[in-house]
């Protein structure tokens, strides 16, 4: 029942919630980002980061640093935090935390399959995978020739197995089919996560429904924009949209028939929360759309911390960390390539 | 219905007034201490788990935030005090007078006092516990907030005090008939 979580939440979740709020206090602020943007080279960045929570992860790296090393070590911190929380969690919090990983698993599966298609070495691909999405038999993915084999050999033993029921065809894996597979899997994952949160009830379901609905709508817009001008038919496009969210079902009908960005804008401006995002961009421009969506996502994630005694703070913390790592990667790349004028194009400030 | 209840020999009303007033008194005393301690324990675990987790990243908050735990503990002490007062009000009456209206009145007064104190302390302990948890988490992020949230806790702990006052007034009524 909504409103009475305060009475029993702390039995199993009080300690971990306090820990995750402590981690949130360690996220980089606008002042930190300003310092980082003033850096001249990657060693300066390492020095500034040594004063933050990333310090212990970066201090043993030898110069010269690469941007990939910085990103890798920062991701390691995220993974350590996550594993620390996961091993102390009980049901249903442990299931909730496991759900956060499945998105990364899907990304890793698609990375390996695409890489194999382009004749890359498996070991090299495994090193590029996100550590949160690793599972035991991941290397076997390189052997599969079509989706049925993919499922039968590897994925049936992973938690991704139930998401595959819509994907099982005997078609060969090529670029187009892999993208469709990625989006179908992600759609099934989001719907499953949404149903799980609804079952949990209370403040968790209310806040997570809002966050997941935004995610589903954002993916719908991105799928639409990316498939304009490709061979993806309208029915296929519509099948990739999730069955929940603000845009379901009427927005999906309209998005499915869009043929260019201005039509997408016309559809989205009918929904007040998204109208604010689209009004920030002038006509015909879509590069800023990604950043506008990230900013809106960060705003909603920060709001999740305003309430106590629910699980959405864990989801919000993981997402905010990932955004921070994206910011750090962008800043490091700009500094390394001496393009500091473009730093502010893509850094999303949190607090 | 109530007129019938008092005159008919075998009805619910008659059954209730034939329960010994000592039963009601004993249950009242048990509820006074038992439910108060339930409220205090509930509040302490709510505050304590958040305090431990928050103190990992911000160790400075531990000593100040023990005040929240002390407020919850005070709730249990109120329950003990009232239980001791109530049990001193219990007196023996000869069995001829056990079902007199005066006896019943004394028994019910002790019972009511116990319920008042027990449940007031239960919700007071819960209230202070939940606020104490939020206080610990906010203090870890921003130390200027501690004193302000403490004021809220003080108002919350006044609720238990109200219960104790009314309970003691009720128990002063518990005069058993003289032999």
């Amino acid at each position: 029942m909504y409103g009475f979580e305060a009475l029993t939440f702390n039995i199993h979740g009080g300690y971990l919630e306090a820990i995750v709020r402590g981690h949130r206090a360690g996220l980089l602020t606008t002042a930190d980002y300003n310092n980082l943007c003033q850096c001249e080279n990657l060693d300066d960045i390492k020095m500034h980061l040594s004063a933050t929570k990333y310090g212990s992860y970066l201090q043993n790296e030898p110069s010269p640093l690469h941007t990939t090393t910085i990103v890798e070590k920062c991701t390691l911190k995220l993974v350590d935090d996550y594993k620390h929380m996961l091993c102390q969690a009980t049901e249903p919090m442990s299931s909730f935390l496991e759900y956060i990983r499945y998105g990364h698993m899907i990304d890793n599966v698609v990375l390996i399959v695409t890489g194999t298609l382009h004749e890359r070495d498996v070991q090299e691909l495994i090193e590029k995978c996100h550590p949160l999405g690793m599972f035991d038999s991941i290397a076997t993915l390189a052997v599969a020739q079509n989706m049925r084999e993919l499922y039968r050999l590897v994925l049936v033993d992973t938690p991704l197995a139930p998401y595959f029921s819509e994907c099982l065809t005997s078609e060969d894996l090529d670029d187009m089919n892999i993208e469709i597979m990625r989006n179908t899997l992600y759609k099934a994952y989001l719907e499953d996560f949404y149903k799980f949160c609804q079952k949990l009830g209370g403040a968790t379901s209310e806040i997570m429904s809002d966050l997941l609905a935004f995610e589903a709508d954002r993916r719908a817009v991105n799928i639409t924009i990316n498939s304009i001008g490709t061979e993806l038919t309208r029915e296929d496009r519509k099948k990739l949209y999730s069955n929940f969210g603000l845009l379901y079902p009427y927005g999906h009908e309209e998005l499915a028939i869009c043929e260019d960005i201005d039509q997408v804008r016309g559809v989205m401006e009918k929904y007040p929360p998204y109208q604010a995002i689209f009004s920030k961009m002038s006509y015909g421009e879509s590069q800023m759309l990604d950043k506008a969506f990230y900013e809106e996502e960060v705003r909603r994630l920060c709001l999740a911390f305003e309430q106590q005694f629910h699980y959405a703070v864990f989801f919000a913390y993981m997402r905010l960390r990932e955004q921070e790592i994206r910011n750090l990667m962008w800043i490091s790349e700009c500094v390394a390539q001496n393009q500091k004028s473009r730093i502010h194009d893509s850094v999303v400030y949190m607090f | 219905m109530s007129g019938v209840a008092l005159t008919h020999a075998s009805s619910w009303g008659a059954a209730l007034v034939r329960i010994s007033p000592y039963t009601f008194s004993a249950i009242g005393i048990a509820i006074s201490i038992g439910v108060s301690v339930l409220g205090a324990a509930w509040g302490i675990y709510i505050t304590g788990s958040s305090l431990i987790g928050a103190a990992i990243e911000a160790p400075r908050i531990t000593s100040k935030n023990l005040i929240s735990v002390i407020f919850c503990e005070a709730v249990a002490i109120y329950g003990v005090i009232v239980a001791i007062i109530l049990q001193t009000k219990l007196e023996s009456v000869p069995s001829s007078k056990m079902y007199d209206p005066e006896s019943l009145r004394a028994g019910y007064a002790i019972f009511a006092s116990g319920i008042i104190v027990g449940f007031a302390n239960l919700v007071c302990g819960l209230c202070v516990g939940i606020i104490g948890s939020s206080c610990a988490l906010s203090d870890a992020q921003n130390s200027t907030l501690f004193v302000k949230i403490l004021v809220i806790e003080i108002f919350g702990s006044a609720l238990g005090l109200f219960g104790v006052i009314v309970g003691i007034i009720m128990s002063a009524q518990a005069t058993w008939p003289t032999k």
Side-chain angles (χ1 to χ4, degrees), chain A residues 6-11 14-19 21-25 53 84 308-309, chain B residues 42 45-47 49-57 126 130 133-135 137 140-141:
Chain A
L7 300 180
T8 48
F9 182 84
N10 274 9
I11 301 176
Y15 173 68
L16 285 175
E17 179 182 6
I19 285 191
R21 283 179 187 265
H23 287 320
R24 173 220 185 262
K53 299 286 179 184
H84 175 78
Q308 211 179 332
F309 308 120
Chain B
W42 204 330
Y45 91 66
I46 292 179
T47 300
S49 50
S50 293
L51 180 52
I52 292 174
I56 291 181
E57 296 281 341
L126 272 174
I130 294 174
S133 155
S134 305
C135 185
L137 295 176
Q141 305 257 357

Side-chain angles (χ1 to χ4, degrees), chain B residues 113 116-117 161-172:
Chain B
S113 175
I116 290 168
V117 171
L161 215 47
F162 297 158
V164 170
I165 293 170
V166 175
I168 292 183
I169 293 174
M170 276 298 295
S171 70

